[in-house]
Amino acid sequence: MSRVKWLSWILLAGGLAVIACDRDKDSTAQNTNVSASAPAIQPLNFPPDDGPLPSADGDRAMQYVKEIVKFGPRPLGSASHKKVEEYISTHLKGDQVEDDIFTADTPEGKFPVHNIIAKYPGTKDGIIIIASHYDTNYPLRNTSFVGANDGGSSSGLLLELANHLRGKQRDGYSVWLVWDDAEEAMKPDGSGGQPNEMPFSADSLYGITHLAEKWQADGTLKKVKAFILTDMIGDADLNVERETNSTPWLEDVVFEAATRLGYQSHFFARRLEVSDDHLPFLKRGVPSVDLIDFTYGYNVAYWHTTEDTIDKLSPRSLQIVGGVVLETLRILDKMDPLPPK
Ligand SMILES: [Zn+2]
């Protein structure tokens, strides 16, 4: 994932705000309004819970994650990156796939970027996007950093979600799975005060920004009803944040889905603002949610370190997030109309 602007955790039970550190002082951070109370939103009318509830195969998702991680570090421009592109595409054989390939001009030079989009058509007019980045941190390219959780977990989960969407006539919105590329900043993340650091907003999210711009230009974006981002969701100790940039009503749908499945204790105990792949869609008015668990190890001990390895993950966490995303889709399909943007 990208960056936490404010590592400000609100312990909801006690209403206690703990500001652990402020890593990013760019202007958007000033717009952050983290509060201990729930956002004021209209109560949603959820469709009846008429089952059967979906279930993702956590073991199969974990196998995909392991296979992705086995390729080693997959920074932009590397041979292993190319292999992961092929790995994902091979698993989507027979599906309707769009390859969005372009050259990104980054502070480290020009790099090929490859977004992979698998499209599963539905009967309703509109698209729901589920996304994950698959590249690994470029500044760590010469280390053993494999991003098992950061990029690996969600990319494997999306392959599992494809298994649930493939070959079925969806009685709902079209679903597009997006394995986006070049999410990671190319320079160190700006938190260390080094002279060669870039402002985060100018050096990240290359792939997903390209897609948002392209789909805005060709009119596709108007059809996108919701953007669901998954990132760092494999931690065995799963605690998905209520991410404060995200659209509150869409987070409420996610929480309803988690509650129906009995997984609500893994969701939204903390509030945290994260800069991530949902921002380009949010900025263009698309309801968006970032499903991310940023407490990885003690505090953020494993994030962007060589400790981000497969042994920290569990199939159960992939099963939980997979099930919640599938149930979120089922609820969105039946909510008519969806809340306004
Ligand atoms: Zn990252």
Side-chain angles (χ1 to χ4, degrees):
M1 60 81 59
S2 309
R3 186 116 65 93
V4 169
K5 283 185 180 159
W6 295 71
L7 201 56
S8 314
W9 297 355
I10 304 301
L11 305 181
L12 288 175
L16 171 66
V18 180
I19 296 182
C21 71
D22 177 0
R23 288 174 169 238
D24 185 355
K25 293 185 166 59
D26 74 20
S27 59
T28 54
Q30 292 164 10
N31 298 327
T32 307
N33 180 16
V34 179
S35 94
S37 57
I41 54 169
Q42 296 296 318
L44 295 173
N45 285 320
F46 293 115
D49 179 4
D50 55 0
L53 291 167
S55 149
D57 186 332
D59 290 323
R60 189 165 53 180
M62 189 68 170
Q63 186 58 33
Y64 296 140
V65 181
K66 282 181 182 166
E67 287 167 6
I68 290 169
V69 164
K70 243 190 206 160
F71 290 112
R74 47 191 186 281
L76 281 195
S78 65
S80 51
H81 185 289
K82 194 80 199 154
K83 284 180 188 160
V84 175
E85 292 171 47
E86 288 161 7
Y87 174 84
I88 293 168
S89 298
T90 299
H91 279 270
L92 302 173
K93 279 249 163 69
D95 297 346
Q96 187 187 336
V97 174
E98 175 184 342
D99 292 288
D100 175 51
I101 298 171
F102 68 102
T103 301
D105 196 0
T106 84
E108 291 286 333
K110 291 190 185 341
F111 286 89
V113 175
H114 186 174
N115 297 313
I116 302 168
I117 305 109
K119 302 179 178 180
Y120 304 94
T123 51
K124 280 182 99 165
D125 187 26
I127 301 159
I128 295 170
I129 292 174
I130 306 168
S132 157
H133 81 90
Y134 67 92
D135 60 311
T136 52
N137 183 284
Y138 187 83
L140 296 172
R141 64 193 177 284
N142 295 323
T143 71
S144 60
F145 178 77
V146 292
N149 199 21
D150 189 358
S153 62
S154 47
S155 295
L157 180 64
L158 258 60
L159 289 174
E160 167 60 9
L161 295 179
N163 294 333
H164 291 259
L165 296 164
R166 181 173 299 122
K168 290 177 186 152
Q169 179 58 57
R170 295 204 82 252
D171 186 18
Y173 295 110
S174 295
V175 176
W176 290 7
L177 300 179
V178 175
W179 289 263
D180 63 86
D181 197 5
E183 183 262 8
E184 298 282 5
M186 300 298 283
K187 289 284 190 187
D189 72 4
S191 60
Q194 300 299 314
N196 65 342
E197 289 177 353
M198 292 274 294
F200 175 74
S201 56
D203 174 34
S204 64
L205 315 185
Y206 293 97
I208 203 72
T209 301
H210 186 261
L211 271 185
E213 286 171 350
K214 175 175 145 180
W215 287 341
Q216 187 170 37
D218 71 11
T220 302
L221 203 72
K222 276 190 233 136
K223 297 183 192 161
V224 180
K225 303 290 181 186
F227 181 93
I228 301 169
L229 177 62
T230 58
D231 194 2
M232 296 178 70
I233 42 70
D235 185 1
D237 178 21
L238 182 69
N239 296 290
V240 177
E241 325 291 346
R242 189 180 265 271
E243 193 282 317
T244 59
N245 289 311
S246 298
T247 306
W249 73 256
L250 189 53
E251 291 188 310
D252 286 357
V253 175
V254 169
F255 195 72
E256 169 69 11
T259 303
R260 289 181 178 188
L261 288 158
Y263 297 152
Q264 69 274 18
S265 64
H266 296 282
F267 284 79
F268 300 166
R270 290 184 307 262
R271 295 165 60 78
L272 182 67
E273 181 182 354
V274 183
S275 293
D276 212 342
D277 273 331
H278 58 325
L279 295 185
F281 281 78
L282 264 179
K283 203 164 84 178
R284 289 167 176 81
V286 177
S288 305
V289 63
D290 186 7
L291 300 181
I292 184 164
D293 172 2
F294 200 61
T295 356
Y296 185 37
Y298 177 72
N299 200 341
V300 294
Y302 305 146
W303 174 55
H304 285 184
T305 75
T306 54
E307 292 296 306
D308 183 1
T309 46
I310 201 84
D311 56 296
K312 314 297 192 309
L313 314 187
S314 84
R316 170 82 176 154
S317 297
L318 299 171
Q319 178 201 323
I320 289 170
V321 176
V324 168
V325 169
L326 290 170
E327 180 62 8
T328 297
L329 286 180
R330 217 167 62 99
I331 295 173
L332 290 173
D333 282 341
K334 292 180 185 171
M335 282 176 76
D336 215 359
L338 291 172
K341 295 173 184 179

